């Protein structure tokens, strides 16, 4: 039986590019929502899931944050404090794809940072690119209205088909019975790329993990292969390649909640 705040979310990812030539992709995905304070208990309860050791599904601390392997909660709290956000030890929950048979690649993972009373204070969007780099966008997420709308300058080279001179608008439905993140990327000429993830909640149990292993075989490897396949399609469509401009100026970019 599943207990606590941690859960599974099963849904899909969509990307759509509007110019200079249209291109779209969509695929089925699932994520785990992990309360950082529950991961050790999940390791003990689940046979198919482990923390920092091999299993069918696993979570490796060093995949996130500064990738040092030190505990994530103090890392996240340090980043929140540097941005002037105090959650006073409230829950921190991470939406991410687990390692499957030891392999993982997460284009986007999201930390949901709550106050002690359960209200959402901020989100941290952690982005990985295929060059082995990582960057975080930390944005306040106040108020009861949903969806939450947030803005940030683009500071990280994600794709060789997009410049860094862009901005993001996030529309967020925090985890509940479902979860959704919609991202619009625009440059000086207007919106260019739309991306979204959406999923429905399921209990985090061995039974459901086993089902997902069958319905979404080798998911994390397939995500990596899909990224490279669609890159080839973009090359075939003669989308210009952008030279890597070098690393971001900082590990974390602080955005703002839209009024």
């Amino acid at each position: 039986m599943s207990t606590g705040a941690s859960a599974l979310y099963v849904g899909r990812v969509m990307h759509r590019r509007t110019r200079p030539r249209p291109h779209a992709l969509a695929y089925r995905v699932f994520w785990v929502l992990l309360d950082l304070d529950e991961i050790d208990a999940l390791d003990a309860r689940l046979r198919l899931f482990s923390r920092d050791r091999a299993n069918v599904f696993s979570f490796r601390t060093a995949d996130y944050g500064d990738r040092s392997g030190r505990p994530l909660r103090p890392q996240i709290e340090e980043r929140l404090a540097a941005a002037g956000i105090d959650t006073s030890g409230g829950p921190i929950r991470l939406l991410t794809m687990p390692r499957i048979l030891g392999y993982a690649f997460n284009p986007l993972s999201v930390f949901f940072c709550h106050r002690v009373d359960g209200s959402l204070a901020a989100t941290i969007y952690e982005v990985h690119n295929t060059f082995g780099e990582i960057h975080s966008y930390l944005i306040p997420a106040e108020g009861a209205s949903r969806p939450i709308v947030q803005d940030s300058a683009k500071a990280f080279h994600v794709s060789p088909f997009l410049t860094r001179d862009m901005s993001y608008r996030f529309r967020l439905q925090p985890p509940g019975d479902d979860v959704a993140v919609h991202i619009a990327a625009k440059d000086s000429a207007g919106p260019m790329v739309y991306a979204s993830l959406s999923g429905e909640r399921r209990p985090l149990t061995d039974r459901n993990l086993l089902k997902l292993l069958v319905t979404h075989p080798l998911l994390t490897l397939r995500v990596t292969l899909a990224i490279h396949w669609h890159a080839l399609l973009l090359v075939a469509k003669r989308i210009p390649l952008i030279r890597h401009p070098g690393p971001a100026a900082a590990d974390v970019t602080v955005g703002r909640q839209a009024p």
Side-chain angles (χ1 to χ4, degrees):
M1 173 179 288
S2 175
T3 59
S6 300
L8 293 165
Y9 283 86
V10 182
R12 73 173 199 153
V13 164
M14 181 278 291
H15 287 255
R16 179 168 60 90
R17 184 185 184 113
T18 60
R19 55 183 170 84
R21 279 167 283 283
H23 184 78
L25 65 93
Y27 48 89
R28 296 181 304 127
V29 189
F30 70 88
W31 303 267
V32 289
L33 179 71
L34 299 173
D35 188 302
L36 297 188
D37 294 333
E38 294 178 357
I39 298 177
D40 287 337
L42 293 170
D43 184 310
R45 175 171 65 81
L46 298 170
R47 294 185 177 183
L48 297 179
F49 175 88
S50 296
R51 175 178 189 159
D52 292 329
R53 59 188 178 89
N55 204 332
V56 179
F57 298 90
S58 59
F59 173 83
R60 192 171 78 174
T61 306
D63 289 339
Y64 305 91
D66 64 11
R67 297 194 281 188
S68 66
R70 67 188 179 100
L72 284 174
R73 172 176 273 282
Q75 289 193 53
I76 299 303
E77 290 176 335
E78 288 166 10
R79 291 183 175 186
L80 292 170
I85 298 172
D86 179 14
T87 57
S88 301
I92 299 174
R93 294 165 187 151
L94 170 63
L95 186 74
T96 190
M97 286 186 290
R99 285 183 171 263
I100 300 176
L101 300 176
Y103 180 80
F105 175 68
N106 270 286
L108 176 67
S109 298
V110 187
F111 289 91
F112 297 89
C113 308
H114 300 259
R115 299 183 182 86
V116 175
D117 65 5
S119 62
L120 187 64
T123 53
I124 299 178
Y125 299 94
E126 188 170 281
V127 182
H128 293 243
N129 64 22
T130 56
F131 304 101
E133 300 167 329
I134 185 171
H135 188 77
S136 293
Y137 295 90
L138 189 160
I139 312 179
E142 304 272 355
S145 61
R146 299 292 187 271
I148 295 168
V149 181
Q150 302 161 306
D151 294 320
S152 178
K154 183 176 185 284
F156 181 58
H157 186 69
V158 179
S159 164
F161 303 97
L162 293 170
T163 72
R164 202 157 63 186
D165 187 19
M166 303 182 76
S167 63
Y168 292 130
R169 168 150 287 194
F170 300 87
R171 295 179 64 87
L172 171 69
Q173 180 65 42
D177 291 336
D178 52 25
V179 66
V181 180
H182 301 277
I183 306 168
K186 68 177 183 179
D187 61 11
S188 58
M192 179 188 292
V193 175
Y194 299 90
S196 69
L197 66 84
S198 58
E200 296 182 350
R201 187 182 184 100
R202 296 184 187 176
L204 179 47
T205 64
D206 279 316
R207 181 182 180 87
N208 282 338
L209 286 171
L210 186 59
K211 286 181 180 179
L212 290 170
L213 189 65
V214 175
T215 58
H216 298 66
L218 300 176
L219 171 65
T220 49
L221 178 60
R222 288 169 58 212
V223 167
T224 300
L225 293 175
I227 289 170
H228 287 91
W229 170 246
H230 283 277
L232 290 175
L233 295 178
L234 291 173
V235 170
K237 290 183 176 183
R238 299 183 180 179
I239 304 296
L241 286 168
I242 307 298
R243 183 185 296 274
H244 194 310
D251 294 334
V252 180
T253 297
V254 178
R256 68 180 185 93
Q257 187 167 350

